Amino acid sequence: MSDRSKSPVWILLHAALVIAVTCSLFSGLRIATLSKPAIASIEELLPQGEVHSVHFLSAILLSLVALAYLCSRVLRRFRARQQYGHKPLNYHRVVTWGGISLLAISLASGWLLFAGISKLPLTRTLHFCAALGLTAYIFLHAGVYLVQFGQNALRYILKPATTRRAQLILSCSFLIIFLLGGWLLLSRFTYYQLPVSTIPADAIIDIDGHANEPQWADAEVLQISTDGGANFYQGRTDIRLKALQNGEEIYFHISWQDPTESLAHLPLIKTDQGWEIQQQGFEKFDESRYYEDKFALLLSSHCDFAGAGTAHLGRSPLPDKPANWHGKGYHYSQSGQLHDLWHWKAVRTNKMYLADDNFIGAPDIVRAGIRRYTAGYQQDGKESGAYVMNWKWYSPNNITPKRLPSDTKVLAPFQNLDQKGKLDWTISWFDYQPYSAESDQVAPGTLMPSVLYTSNRFEGDRADVRAKGVWRDGYWTLELVRKLNTASPLDIPIEDGTCLWVSAFDHAQVAHTRHTRAIQLNLSNAL
Amino acid sequence: MITRLFFIFFLPACLIGAAVIHTPQAPKPSQYHLSKVTAKGEVIHAWGGPWSCVCDSRSGLLWEVKSDSEDIHDGRWTYSRLLQNQGVANNGDCYFEAERCDTEDLIRHTNQEQLCGSKHWRLPTASELHTLVTTEVKPGSPSIETGYFPKTQRGDYWTSDGNLPLKGVYSYLKFGGAAVNFINGQTITIPYRNAAFTRLVTNRSSTCHIAPQ
Ligand code: HEM
Ligand code: HEM
Ligand code: HEM
């Protein structure tokens, strides 16, 4: 530590850096708990709630400090030539250079992640490793200073040499103005734009997943990279979106990479002890293996980070509400504002040519007798809809099926989970018979689908979104349509400027991919 | 120096170690006035299942729970109201009777099988049935706690209150019975011949009593 005291500006920038790095680190590690169980094991030390905004606000602060630092380096280099020689290389200088390099890596990889460019899983790994490196740096730098000099070190970084108040206040105000300005820019002007082409009201678009109507060929494409999900290619998939509207309805054509068509949704297997559900994580509502593929669209009049500000991470982000089972977080809206969520499911809704119409609202009340609390994520009406699961009651061990086929031969096609080709993994309630232990002739080892269709439609509000997806050669293609304005209090009207987020699920229940910047719908040339 | 080392390196290391060792507790249900009772009459865990009856410790009443298993308790079956020869026989739809169904059919079958260990099943009074109505429900759900009473329909459920004057278009039928509507929780009078849903109750069971306050 040099004997000279530090200038007010140095003190301010160093303090800002300490704050920015600490906030980035803690909020970033919380984000990392979503896909890294090792970090999840120290979840008690990490903040909960809507941490994305904190991460991005501190990212701006960090970037500002870095800019100021660069400027001062350039200035100093210019002056230093004339005044002092080089500082001697010692432990702290080496560590500081290490720290500065790590900060540079964090900044570069962080902005790439934010922009959604580059090979995201790789960038994410780099960003994460830099964060680990920075943790070590804090101990090697600040820790060692504190051990060496104790309170003097603190005094040194907090007490400016001169009492030039005006300079301090001026630079402080500059920092705050730039911080707020940066936040405004980042949160208002970084959206992807999706132009929605206008088509004549009498143009017919078949919701069949094929998008072979000529109107689709003319629509503009938006391609975005999403990552952070389970499965896929290292948790990443690229999504292509197109949208059309005819003044009455809005159509989406979406395709994304998925190496496998996963339809075996929590299949049942007969064992020597009876029937069991094939599962890996379902008990904690985080199945990531025996699940159908899904896709979700979040629509909102708000464009805040973290899915319109609805993603609240941590085991109990709501202190007076139950904790979640997987420790990852909840979706809910803090302002009470409603956000629309369309949830297409390859088995449970695709056959009905529908997407489940859900919403994210204020956290629900706690409902006794129900094991999973989902906070703001809820369904638009109807207790179950058109399908039920083929077990009387869920258990991680043995379950009793509701129904069995009258002829066990119909189960033959389902015996190989890895087989390619089209297979309908739903069974019809009416083709199967009520289960009884006596009539259960199924041989141990046999697999059976578990999605039982009881009718072929949802009813009411929950059936507002029609959708059909088709998987071919490593891609899902999905077509969806909904009225621009359904007039339902549980849907939001779609207008120019409405924000959209998309998430893909590869045989995973909740571990979906995500993107940081919202997609803004551009209906300016609406009818 | 030792104290500094302790605070700066040892303490954080201990905190991280403790966080790694500490495993968060799985969520637990809190105390509630409803409890699930199996067909054999055993009380089970609040998140367990399957169950056939629900005990309400506020009223001491044991309630029938509906199913989707096409047995006599299937929630989709409807009944015309017949009670002690008052009402209309066999005007509802169920699969378990050779003829069509009325409330006495359900009561008879349920007592025969001694559902949840009781053979004193009956229709609830309107005020008893009304104790199950809740208004804070999910959109589109019936006005009842579906976590305990699944397969409840958004429709009318018969009560034992009968001999009530009918009004409006049905006034020519003179008398009808009271039913609780599980869309809005209101009690209305409908003709006996109507096919409505039915949930039985008993206040004479070995498993369900009013909890001491
Ligand atoms: C997140 C935490 C921190 C970060 C990222 C950080 C970063 C930095 C950086 C980049 C420098 C070099 C600045 C320059 O070249 O002028 C520096 C200098 C310094 N830091 Fe920190 N710092 C942190 C926390 C601390 C703490 C807690 C202390 C004191 C206890 C401290 C004490 C110092 C001192 C004394 C210097 C000046 C070294 C000199 O004059 O050569 N730092 N810090
Ligand atoms: C000291 C600085 C920083 C630290 C310690 C840090 C730490 C982290 C960590 C640990 C993660 C989680 C990575 C994972 O999922 O494995 C993360 C995610 C992320 N960080 Fe940073 N970060 C820093 C700076 C930045 C900056 C400057 C930006 C620029 C905007 C940024 C943007 C992001 C983004 C976009 C994500 C992904 C969010 C998501 O997955 O939803 N970070 N950060
Ligand atoms: C930063 C962004 C996001 C994060 C960190 C995030 C995180 C999470 C977490 C932790 C859960 C589990 C919640 C629970 O089990 O109750 C979840 C569930 C879910 N998320 Fe997100 N989410 C984000 C954005 C989105 C977006 C933009 C969408 C829609 C396009 C979306 C759709 C869903 C759906 C549909 C579920 C429920 C899955 C199910 O249980 O069926 N999420 N998300």
Side-chain angles (χ1 to χ4, degrees):
Chain A
M1 200 159 57
S2 67
D3 298 331
R4 288 169 297 109
S5 304
K6 290 293 186 184
S7 72
V9 176
W10 189 93
I11 301 250
L12 178 71
L13 289 182
H14 189 263
L17 187 63
V18 174
I19 294 172
V21 168
T22 313
C23 291
S24 295
L25 188 62
F26 280 91
S27 57
L29 289 177
R30 171 53 78 188
I31 297 170
T33 60
L34 287 174
S35 45
K36 298 186 172 62
I39 303 301
S41 69
I42 55 158
E43 58 171 295
E44 292 86 347
L45 304 178
L46 302 174
Q48 306 198 62
E50 209 276 83
V51 293
H52 280 82
S53 296
V54 177
H55 199 73
F56 301 145
L57 191 65
S58 53
I60 300 175
L61 186 58
L62 188 65
S63 308
L64 288 175
V65 175
L67 269 180
Y69 179 78
L70 272 181
C71 292
S72 79
R73 285 302 295 191
V74 173
L75 276 180
R76 208 151 33 130
R77 178 143 293 203
F78 185 68
R79 275 195 233 141
R81 289 240 176 80
Q82 299 144 22
Q83 292 178 12
Y84 335 98
H86 272 286
K87 278 191 191 167
L89 205 62
N90 61 13
Y91 167 81
H92 278 296
R93 277 184 62 75
V94 172
V95 170
T96 298
W97 274 111
I100 290 176
S101 324
L102 287 170
L103 284 173
I105 298 174
S106 295
L107 278 163
S109 55
W111 285 115
L112 283 177
L113 277 180
F114 184 89
I117 42 188
S118 74
K119 280 213 170 356
L120 293 185
L122 196 74
T123 315
R124 186 180 286 274
T125 308
L126 193 66
H127 194 67
F128 176 73
C129 291
L132 292 189
L134 275 171
T135 315
Y137 166 76
I138 292 177
F139 284 99
L140 296 179
H141 166 76
V144 170
Y145 265 127
L146 284 170
V147 169
Q148 271 182 310
F149 303 104
Q151 290 180 354
N152 284 339
L154 282 179
R155 215 166 291 137
Y156 186 73
I157 61 158
L158 292 175
K159 207 156 158 256
T162 51
T163 44
R164 274 184 282 173
R165 276 256 178 90
Q167 194 191 12
L168 193 66
I169 291 173
L170 198 70
S171 36
C172 215
S173 331
F174 264 125
L175 198 64
I176 290 172
I177 290 170
F178 279 123
L179 187 62
L180 294 180
W183 178 250
L184 207 71
L185 278 180
L186 204 66
S187 57
R188 292 270 173 83
F189 299 98
T190 54
Y191 312 140
Y192 298 97
Q193 296 293 330
L194 178 60
V196 184
S197 312
T198 306
I199 54 167
D202 56 358
I204 294 170
I205 306 284
D206 260 339
I207 299 300
D208 55 6
H210 288 301
N212 34 18
E213 292 80 4
Q215 286 84 355
W216 286 125
D218 300 335
E220 280 188 57
V221 190
L222 173 68
Q223 170 152 347
I224 60 171
S225 292
T226 68
D227 83 322
N231 311 317
F232 287 115
Y233 303 97
Q234 299 176 309
R236 166 203 177 175
T237 182
D238 289 345
I239 302 178
R240 286 163 56 87
L241 295 135
K242 288 183 187 179
L244 302 173
Q245 61 100 13
N246 58 14
E248 186 70 26
E249 287 163 317
I250 185 160
Y251 296 87
F252 288 100
H253 168 216
I254 301 171
S255 66
W256 68 98
Q257 304 152 311
D258 184 338
T260 53
E261 178 183 33
S262 317
L263 302 175
H265 184 69
L266 299 166
L268 300 182
I269 185 164
K270 179 81 179 277
T271 67
D272 291 333
Q273 286 76 42
W275 289 93
E276 271 177 25
I277 303 169
Q278 294 225 293
Q279 53 190 325
Q280 188 178 300
F282 188 57
E283 198 184 357
K284 292 193 163 170
F285 305 105
D286 191 13
E287 178 63 39
S288 58
R289 181 152 177 214
Y290 299 101
Y291 217 74
E292 66 193 323
D293 290 336
K294 305 194 288 178
F295 194 86
L297 286 88
L298 179 69
L299 286 142
S300 174
S301 54
H302 291 237
C303 305
D304 307 341
F305 293 121
T310 64
H312 295 79
L313 305 191
R315 195 168 287 276
S316 34
L318 288 162
D320 55 345
K321 293 287 184 339
N324 50 65
W325 289 81
H326 42 56
K328 292 183 170 175
Y330 283 132
H331 274 290
Y332 60 86
S333 143
Q334 227 152 7
S335 56
Q337 172 77 33
L338 202 92
H339 312 281
D340 224 332
L341 185 66
W342 305 349
H343 202 173
W344 171 85
K345 302 168 183 172
V347 177
R348 286 176 293 169
T349 73
N350 201 31
K351 196 175 170 182
M352 294 186 285
Y353 285 77
L354 284 178
D356 215 345
D357 195 356
N358 303 159
F359 68 92
I360 296 176
D364 194 15
I365 57 164
V366 182
R367 299 183 188 278
I370 297 175
R371 200 161 72 94
R372 183 182 183 196
Y373 174 72
T374 59
Y377 162 58
Q378 295 170 56
Q379 277 73 39
D380 290 17
K382 264 231 145 226
E383 187 187 340
S384 98
Y387 55 81
V388 291
M389 300 308 292
N390 192 13
W391 52 75
K392 290 206 167 135
W393 190 253
Y394 169 79
S395 157
N397 310 315
N398 282 335
I399 55 100
T400 312
K402 281 185 170 158
R403 300 180 86 83
L404 283 183
S406 28
D407 181 358
T408 55
K409 281 204 205 81
V410 303
L411 296 178
F414 300 106
Q415 300 317 306
N416 180 5
L417 280 185
D418 299 321
Q419 90 185 5
K420 301 272 182 288
K422 301 284 161 216
L423 191 57
D424 183 358
W425 272 85
T426 65
I427 50 187
S428 161
W429 179 273
F430 305 100
D431 296 347
Y432 279 46
Q433 295 179 337
Y435 173 86
S436 75
E438 303 78 52
S439 65
D440 181 358
Q441 299 299 324
V442 181
T446 308
L447 289 168
M448 178 162 74
S450 60
V451 179
L452 270 170
Y453 265 72
T454 52
S455 79
N456 56 6
R457 293 202 78 80
F458 285 127
E459 287 154 33
D461 273 1
R462 207 171 159 179
D464 281 339
V465 187
R466 287 192 294 126
K468 182 70 183 177
V470 175
W471 185 89
R472 238 185 78 198
D473 302 335
Y475 284 86
W476 274 107
T477 317
L478 174 66
E479 276 183 295
L480 303 110
V481 62
R482 201 205 73 177
K483 284 207 174 84
L484 286 164
N485 191 349
T486 63
S488 158
L490 299 177
D491 289 330
I492 65 143
I494 297 170
E495 300 160 341
D496 188 36
T498 296
C499 274
L500 166 73
W501 289 260
V502 286
S503 286
F505 300 69
D506 185 16
H507 56 92
Q509 185 179 11
V510 301
H512 56 71
T513 66
R514 56 187 185 272
H515 55 96
T516 300
R517 294 152 57 203
I519 304 164
Q520 198 167 36
L521 297 179
N522 215 315
L523 278 79
S524 47
N525 52 353
L527 285 179
Chain B
M1 189 65 129
I2 299 283
T3 16
R4 284 184 201 164
L5 274 174
F6 174 81
F7 277 111
I8 293 160
F9 293 104
F10 191 65
L11 203 63
C14 285
L15 273 178
I16 293 173
V20 172
I21 293 166
H22 178 254
T23 38
Q25 281 204 328
K28 284 202 182 71
S30 41
Q31 279 285 339
Y32 204 58
H33 61 267
L34 299 179
S35 46
K36 298 173 176 174
V37 179
T38 64
K40 291 197 184 115
E42 292 149 6
V43 176
I44 56 166
H45 189 265
W47 289 337
W51 68 105
S52 302
C53 302
V54 165
C55 164
D56 186 340
S57 65
R58 292 176 310 185
S59 59
L61 295 174
L62 186 68
W63 293 94
E64 178 203 3
V65 166
K66 292 298 178 182
S67 74
D68 62 1
S69 48
E70 294 174 13
D71 60 359
I72 62 171
H73 306 293
D74 195 298
R76 291 160 294 190
W77 303 161
T78 56
Y79 308 88
S80 59
R81 184 184 176 286
L82 181 68
L83 209 59
Q84 287 137 12
N85 289 329
Q86 185 189 50
V88 174
N90 297 335
N91 211 32
D93 288 307
C94 67
Y95 288 179
F96 61 85
E97 281 279 284
E99 310 238 358
R100 297 178 71 202
C101 295
D102 55 54
T103 49
E104 285 206 330
D105 295 327
L106 178 62
I107 295 172
R108 188 178 65 252
H109 281 280
T110 308
N111 282 332
Q112 259 166 20
E113 68 169 19
Q114 299 194 14
L115 176 69
C116 302
S118 172
K119 41 184 182 201
H120 305 287
W121 291 95
R122 59 176 175 82
L123 282 185
T125 64
S127 61
E128 283 171 340
L129 189 53
H130 207 86
T131 61
L132 297 186
V133 171
T134 53
T135 47
E136 285 192 310
V137 297
K138 295 196 174 193
S141 289
S143 42
I144 194 165
E145 297 208 34
T146 47
Y148 285 89
F149 296 102
K151 310 299 165 198
T152 303
Q153 310 293 320
R154 283 165 59 86
D156 299 333
Y157 280 75
W158 283 120
T159 73
S160 59
D161 300 3
N163 223 3
L164 301 165
L166 282 164
K167 297 197 187 86
V169 284
Y170 294 124
S171 52
Y172 73 98
L173 292 168
K174 297 219 169 57
F175 296 107
V180 174
N181 173 302
F182 277 88
I183 299 178
N184 53 21
Q186 274 167 8
T187 306
I188 47 170
T189 306
I190 54 174
Y192 296 133
R193 64 175 192 196
N194 274 26
F197 304 105
T198 303
R199 181 186 305 286
L200 302 182
V201 72
T202 173
N203 53 345
R204 293 165 66 192
S205 71
S206 52
T207 39
C208 189
H209 309 282
I210 295 181
Q213 291 298 312

